[in-house]
Amino acid sequence: MTKVTSEQETTTRDRTRAEQALLAGLVEYGLFVPSEVPGIYGRGVVYEAVLAGFNHFLSQQTREDGACCLHFPPIMPRANLERIGYLESFPHLAGLVFSFEGGDVDHLELLSQLQNGESYAGAVKMTDVVLNSATCQPLYPTLRGKRLPDGGSLFDLVAYCFRREPSHDPIRMQSFRMREHVCLGHPADVRRWRERWLVRAREMFQRIGLKVDEVVANDPFFGRGGRMLATEQRASEAKFEFVLPISSTEAPTAIMSFNYHEDHFTGPYDIRTSDGARAHSACLGIGIERIAIALFKTHGFDPETWPASVRAHLGLSGKPRPEGTPGGDAA
Ligand code: AMP
Ligand code: ZN
C-alpha cells in the first residue's frame, strides 16, 4: 500500500515536471505567451503557422467528404446551452457571460467596490450569451425543424471553446480552438462515417509522425449522478479517443475524440432524416491546439528541424524563417 502511494507521488511529480518543461519550452521559443491565469495563452507566429498547417492538411485529407464548412464565433445564445442540457451534466465547465447593465448610481457603486477591492459580483447580471463549450454546440439550432438529405449531412466546423478547467499543463487550456466534423443522419449513416474515420485517423496522424492509440473514454460528468453517466457512456462505447503521450506516458492525452450523441442534440431541435425519422448525430472533436503541441513535443520546438515529410504535409517547406527568435515576431 505504501509502495503504491509513493509510486503515485513519483508519477505526479514526474508529470508536473514534464508539464513545466513543456510550457517552459513553448514560452522560450515564443510559441506561447503566458498570462496571469493558467490555461490562457497568447500564441506566436510559428505556433500559428503549424496550427494552420495542420488545418490545411486535415482539409486535404478529408476533401472527398464534401462537408459543409462553417466558422462560429466563440459565444452563442444561452438558451442553446440550456436546451441541450449542458448545465445538467457539466455545470463546472460552463462559461456564462455576465455584464454591467446598471445606471449612473450603480456605476458609482461599482467604482467604489473596485477602489476598495470589494466584490462587485452583485453589480453585474447574467446575459443571454455564453461561451461555446464545444464547437458543434452552435450548429444544432441552425438546423431546427429541418429534414436532412438522403445519406445525412456532414459539417466541418471550427470555433474557440471555453472550459473552466484551469491547469498548469499547457495541453489543458481554458480557451482553445477545436475543429469538429459532425455527422447527422440515420444511425447507419453515422456508423458508416465512424468506420471511415477509424481507418483513416491512424494513417493521417502517422503521416505527420504522431503515433496514436485508440481508447474508450468518458466525459467528465459532474457529481455523483455523473459517475453513473460516465459508466454508461463507457459501457456503450459512445466515446472513444485518439491519444498519445504528451505530459505523461501513464495518462496519455486525447488529441481527437469521437462522440456518439444519438438524439441528444437532434431531439431538442427536431432535426429529422429524409424519411421523417428522428436523426442521430455524432461528432469528431479534433483538438487542433493539442495536435500542434504534440507536434512540437514530438519533433522539437523548432519546425525548421522537423522531418522533411512532416514539413511537407503541413505545408511548412520552403517558407522563409521569421525574423528574430525561433518563435519570431515577424508578421
Ligand atoms: P471533447 O469535446 O471533450 O470530446 O473534446 C474534443 C477534443 O478537444 C479533445 O480530444 C481534445 O483534443 C480537445 N480538448 C478538450 N479539452 C481541451 C482543453 N481544455 N484544452 C485543449 N484542448 C482540449
Ligand atoms: Zn461536438
Side-chain angles (χ1 to χ4, degrees):
M1 189 66 193
T2 320
K3 188 159 178 284
V4 172
T5 309
S6 84
E7 270 174 16
Q8 277 171 350
E9 277 170 6
T10 313
T11 310
T12 311
R13 248 199 329 267
D14 287 350
R15 184 174 182 132
T16 308
R17 258 192 235 120
E19 290 168 7
Q20 284 168 346
L22 179 59
L23 183 56
L26 291 167
V27 172
E28 184 190 335
Y29 278 76
L31 303 165
F32 266 29
V33 183
S35 74
E36 274 177 49
V37 295
I40 305 285
Y41 307 100
R43 277 83 158 167
V45 70
V46 172
Y47 177 89
E48 284 300 307
V50 167
L51 192 129
F54 177 76
N55 266 332
H56 180 66
F57 168 69
L58 183 69
S59 297
Q60 281 180 325
Q61 301 288 309
T62 55
R63 183 172 298 150
E64 64 187 22
D65 294 3
C68 169
C69 297
L70 294 171
H71 288 236
F72 283 105
I75 58 173
M76 63 175 188
R78 174 158 55 86
N80 185 28
L81 197 79
E82 292 165 2
R83 208 165 284 134
I84 60 180
Y86 194 81
L87 293 169
E88 273 85 336
S89 297
F90 309 106
H92 54 308
L93 298 180
L96 307 165
V97 177
F98 285 67
S99 194
F100 175 76
E101 290 173 4
D104 284 339
V105 175
D106 307 298
H107 188 215
L108 283 177
E109 197 177 337
L110 169 68
L111 293 182
S112 131
Q113 285 160 341
L114 277 172
Q115 232 156 29
N116 299 328
E118 292 167 3
S119 165
Y120 54 94
V124 289
K125 281 215 179 86
M126 189 157 75
T127 66
D128 58 355
V129 294
V130 294
L131 302 174
N132 306 333
S133 310
T135 298
C136 65
Q137 288 173 341
L139 174 70
Y140 308 105
T142 70
L143 301 171
R144 185 197 298 261
K146 287 235 163 90
R147 281 201 181 207
L148 302 169
D150 279 343
S153 290
L154 273 184
F155 291 89
D156 179 353
L157 317 170
V158 72
Y160 256 103
C161 297
F162 171 88
R163 291 188 190 172
R164 181 69 184 151
E165 44 182 4
S167 162
H168 291 284
D169 189 345
I171 57 106
R172 192 167 297 287
M173 306 173 198
Q174 297 201 60
S175 181
F176 56 97
R177 282 159 289 185
M178 192 202 294
R179 188 154 164 190
E180 284 205 31
H181 276 219
V182 186
C183 175
L184 301 104
H186 276 294
D189 300 324
V190 176
R191 253 195 318 274
R192 264 196 301 279
W193 173 76
R194 171 190 145 128
E195 296 309 314
R196 194 160 72 237
W197 264 109
L198 273 173
V199 176
R200 76 172 167 199
R202 219 174 250 277
E203 211 176 276
M204 189 180 84
F205 285 123
Q206 214 164 23
R207 287 199 183 113
I208 52 171
L210 300 182
K211 200 173 163 307
V212 295
D213 275 324
E214 197 190 296
V215 294
V216 172
N218 61 268
D219 285 310
F221 294 104
F222 183 76
R224 214 178 306 150
R227 279 199 285 282
M228 225 165 65
L229 291 174
T231 308
E232 278 168 24
Q233 194 183 27
R234 277 184 171 270
S236 63
E237 300 193 1
K239 185 179 185 90
F240 63 82
E241 298 183 321
F242 294 90
V243 300
L244 91 178
I246 300 183
S247 304
S248 152
T249 34
E250 285 80 17
T253 299
I255 56 170
M256 192 160 93
S257 310
F258 175 91
N259 301 289
Y260 187 24
H261 320 125
E262 300 191 4
D263 64 356
H264 182 80
F265 295 122
T266 47
Y269 290 105
D270 192 29
I271 305 167
R272 297 190 172 266
T273 59
S274 54
D275 54 7
R278 170 71 53 79
H280 276 203
S281 73
C283 71
L284 186 72
I286 305 157
I288 49 179
E289 309 263 12
R290 286 188 179 175
I291 291 168
I293 295 174
L295 286 164
F296 286 107
K297 168 84 184 186
T298 307
H299 302 304
F301 290 116
D302 181 359
E304 290 270 311
T305 65
W306 290 5
S309 63
V310 174
R311 287 177 54 80
H313 280 307
L314 299 175
L316 299 173
S317 303
K319 280 205 177 147
R321 191 192 180 94
E323 298 291 322
T325 60
D329 55 359

